[in-house]
Amino acid sequence: MNQEKTKIIISGAFGRMGKILIKETIKNQETSLIGAIINENSKKAKEQQSEIKKDFLNYFFLKILKNNHERNLLYDVLIDFTTPQNTINNLKYCIKNQKNIIIGTTGFNEQQLKTIKSAAKNIAILFSPNFSIGINLLYNITKYIASIIGKYVDIEIIEYHHRNKVDAPSGTALQIGKNISESMGWNFNKDTIFQRYGIVGPRKKNKIGYSVVRGGDIIGEHKILFADLGEQIEIIHKATNRSAFARGAIKAAIWIKNKKMDYLICQTYLKIFLLLKKIK
Ligand SMILES: NC(=O)c1ccc[n+]([C@@H]2O[C@H](COP(=O)([O-])OP(=O)(O)OC[C@H]3O[C@@H](n4cnc5c(N)ncnc54)[C@H](O)[C@@H]3O)[C@@H](O)[C@H]2O)c1
Ligand SMILES: O=C(O)C1=N[C@H](C(=O)O)CCC1
C-alpha cells in the first residue's frame, strides 16, 4: 500500500542538527521536507542562507512560523532541535494548528518542562534528549544494573560534548540520572551532586554524581560508572555522527504523524523504535 509521505518542517534549519535533519528528511523515502525555519535574527543564518539555499533550492525557508501561516498548514509534524524558548514558541503554534511535534531540544527549565507536559494534552509530542538507539538501550541497561547493585555502589555520570554546547549537564545525562533515581526510589532533585569544588568531604551514599567535559568537536559521549570497593562497571555510549540522532528523530516523526492528543511524552524512544522495526 502506497503510504502517504510524512510532511515535515524542520526548525533550526541552519543548526548543527538542523542541517543533518534536512539532509536525512530529503533522503528518507517515507518523508517529504516542505519547509524549514531559520532564526531571522541570527547573523550566521543570514550568512549561511545563500549557501544552504544552493543545496536545498526547492525548499522555502520560513522565517518564523507565524509569519507564514497559510503555507505551514500543509505539514504533518514539526521537528525542533533549537533552543528552549524557541521550542516553546513553536509548541504554541503547533497546538493552535493541531500539529504534532518532535522535540530534540535540551536545556529546558522546570517551567518550560511543565509547559511541554501540559501541551501533550492537546497534541502528540515525542520529547527525547537523545534520539540515538544506543542511548535508549543504555537507559534500560543502566536501570537494570542500578536495580541490582545501586544500593551499595557509587554512581557517577560523565558526559563529553563539543565546545559549542551551551547547556550542562546534557539532557541525556539528566535523563539517565532521572531513570536511575526513579528506579531506586531516590529523589532526583535532591540525590544529585552537580558540583564539587574545594573541601567537599567524603562522598555521600545514594547520590548520583555528574561531571561535564566540553571541548573540540565531540559529538556526544556518555559514561556511567558504577564504582564499588575492588571493582567498577563502566557503561559507555559514543555518538560518532549526528545522523544517528537525525534518523531517530525522523523515525519518530513518521511514527507520531497520526497520533492523537494525550499521547504521553516519551522520554525513552526505544519502545517506538522496536515498534517501528516491526512495521518495517
Ligand atoms: N535529542 C537529541 O537527540 C539531540 C541531538 C543533538 C542535539 N540536541 C539538542 O538540540 C539542540 C540544538 O543543537 P545544535 O547542536 O543543532 O545547536 P545549534 O546552535 O547548532 O542549532 C540551533 C539552531 O536553532 C536556531 N534557532 C534559535 N532560535 C530560533 C528561532 N527563534 N527560530 C528558528 N531557529 C532558531 C539557531 O539559529 C540555530 O541554527 C540543543 O538543545 C541540543 O542539546 C538533541
Ligand atoms: O550536541 C548536543 O548538544 C547534544 N545534546 C544532547 C543532550 O543534551 O543530551 C545529546 C546529543 C548531543
Side-chain angles (χ1 to χ4, degrees), residues 16-17 81 104-107 128-132 135 139 159-162 164-175 214 218-222 239 242 245:
R16 284 175 290 271
M17 276 305 299
F81 284 64
T105 308
T106 60
S128 173
N130 199 305
F131 278 97
S132 72
I135 280 288
Y139 286 154
E159 55 102 335
Y160 310 69
H161 284 90
H162 52 91
N164 294 310
K165 184 167 179 57
V166 296
D167 58 313
S170 69
T172 304
L174 293 171
Q175 186 60 53
R214 290 290 175 268
I218 302 170
I219 301 276
E221 181 178 334
H222 291 86
R242 288 186 174 88
F245 308 129

Side-chain angles (χ1 to χ4, degrees), residues 7 83 93 146:
K7 295 185 281 296
T83 60
Y93 185 86

Side-chain angles (χ1 to χ4, degrees), residues 92-108:
K92 290 176 182 153
Y93 185 86
C94 287
I95 292 171
K96 196 161 140 242
N97 294 289
Q98 286 299 293
K99 299 288 183 181
N100 295 337
I101 186 170
I102 300 298
I103 298 176
T105 308
T106 60
F108 293 99

Side-chain angles (χ1 to χ4, degrees), residues 117-133:
K117 203 171 179 68
S118 64
K121 298 187 184 72
N122 299 287
I123 54 174
I125 301 173
L126 204 159
F127 169 32
S128 173
N130 199 305
F131 278 97
S132 72
I133 301 308

Side-chain angles (χ1 to χ4, degrees), residues 213-280:
V213 174
R214 290 290 175 268
D217 59 358
I218 302 170
I219 301 276
E221 181 178 334
H222 291 86
K223 183 188 294 182
I224 298 85
L225 167 66
F226 299 88
D228 196 4
L229 304 180
E231 62 179 340
Q232 295 166 19
I233 298 171
E234 279 189 355
I235 306 291
I236 299 173
H237 176 271
K238 285 185 186 180
T240 54
N241 188 305
R242 288 186 174 88
S243 59
F245 308 129
R247 282 197 304 274
I250 291 163
K251 276 203 177 83
I254 295 164
W255 177 80
I256 207 171
K257 176 180 170 184
N258 297 317
K259 298 293 181 293
K260 293 300 168 227
M261 65 178 185
D262 236 2
Y263 224 83
L264 284 180
I265 300 174
C266 307
Q267 298 291 3
T268 63
Y269 165 64
L270 186 61
K271 293 189 283 294
I272 309 239
F273 174 75
L274 296 177
L275 180 73
L276 288 170
K277 269 292 189 207
K278 275 192 220 123
I279 296 170
K280 280 266 180 287

Side-chain angles (χ1 to χ4, degrees), residues 3-280:
Q3 193 85 330
E4 204 192 306
K5 289 191 174 191
T6 302
K7 295 185 281 296
I8 288 177
I9 285 188
I10 306 280
S11 184
F14 292 170
R16 284 175 290 271
M17 276 305 299
K19 285 181 195 168
I20 295 205
L21 280 160
I22 288 183
K23 283 198 170 74
E24 292 289 342
T25 303
I26 294 169
K27 218 163 83 181
N28 191 309
Q29 297 301 310
E30 298 176 73
T31 54
S32 57
L33 178 73
I34 61 143
I37 313 173
I38 57 173
N39 178 0
E40 55 183 348
N41 306 322
S42 116
K43 200 166 86 39
K44 195 175 115 190
K46 288 200 178 78
E47 283 154 17
Q48 286 188 334
Q49 190 148 348
S50 48
E51 172 229 325
I52 293 239
K53 278 204 162 175
K54 191 163 75 278
D55 301 353
F56 307 112
L57 216 48
N58 316 335
Y59 300 99
F60 58 91
F61 286 86
L62 316 170
K63 297 290 182 208
I64 34 181
L65 281 176
K66 60 177 185 292
N67 293 353
N68 299 271
H69 180 80
E70 65 292 343
R71 297 183 73 169
N72 298 319
L73 292 178
L74 305 174
Y75 76 99
D76 296 312
V77 183
L78 175 71
I79 299 182
D80 191 305
F81 284 64
T82 57
T83 60
Q85 192 47 55
N86 178 60
T87 302
I88 297 295
N89 297 340
N90 282 343
L91 193 60
K92 290 176 182 153
Y93 185 86
C94 287
I95 292 171
K96 196 161 140 242
N97 294 289
Q98 286 299 293
K99 299 288 183 181
N100 295 337
I101 186 170
I102 300 298
I103 298 176
T105 308
T106 60
F108 293 99
N109 61 35
E110 280 312 308
Q111 185 47 50
Q112 290 165 333
L113 289 172
K114 284 197 184 105
T115 304
I116 295 170
K117 203 171 179 68
S118 64
K121 298 187 184 72
N122 299 287
I123 54 174
I125 301 173
L126 204 159
F127 169 32
S128 173
N130 199 305
F131 278 97
S132 72
I133 301 308
I135 280 288
N136 283 273
L137 276 168
L138 180 146
Y139 286 154
N140 293 328
I141 294 164
T142 49
K143 268 196 293 192
Y144 171 70
I145 295 173
S147 68
I148 297 178
I149 58 173
K151 283 201 178 63
Y152 54 85
V153 297
D154 300 319
I155 302 175
E156 295 282 334
I157 300 174
I158 306 101
E159 55 102 335
Y160 310 69
H161 284 90
H162 52 91
R163 65 172 59 154
N164 294 310
K165 184 167 179 57
V166 296
D167 58 313
S170 69
T172 304
L174 293 171
Q175 186 60 53
I176 294 166
K178 268 187 199 135
N179 293 343
I180 293 174
S181 293
E182 274 161 23
S183 71
M184 297 303 294
W186 298 340
N187 177 327
F188 170 70
N189 294 311
K190 294 203 186 89
D191 301 328
T192 51
I193 310 163
F194 283 125
Q195 279 170 347
R196 289 172 168 119
Y197 181 77
I199 309 293
V200 295
R203 192 198 197 285
K204 293 187 175 63
K205 284 189 67 57
N206 297 347
K207 286 183 178 293
I208 298 176
Y210 292 81
S211 303
V212 174
V213 174
R214 290 290 175 268
D217 59 358
I218 302 170
I219 301 276
E221 181 178 334
H222 291 86
K223 183 188 294 182
I224 298 85
L225 167 66
F226 299 88
D228 196 4
L229 304 180
E231 62 179 340
Q232 295 166 19
I233 298 171
E234 279 189 355
I235 306 291
I236 299 173
H237 176 271
K238 285 185 186 180
T240 54
N241 188 305
R242 288 186 174 88
S243 59
F245 308 129
R247 282 197 304 274
I250 291 163
K251 276 203 177 83
I254 295 164
W255 177 80
I256 207 171
K257 176 180 170 184
N258 297 317
K259 298 293 181 293
K260 293 300 168 227
M261 65 178 185
D262 236 2
Y263 224 83
L264 284 180
I265 300 174
C266 307
Q267 298 291 3
T268 63
Y269 165 64
L270 186 61
K271 293 189 283 294
I272 309 239
F273 174 75
L274 296 177
L275 180 73
L276 288 170
K277 269 292 189 207
K278 275 192 220 123
I279 296 170
K280 280 266 180 287

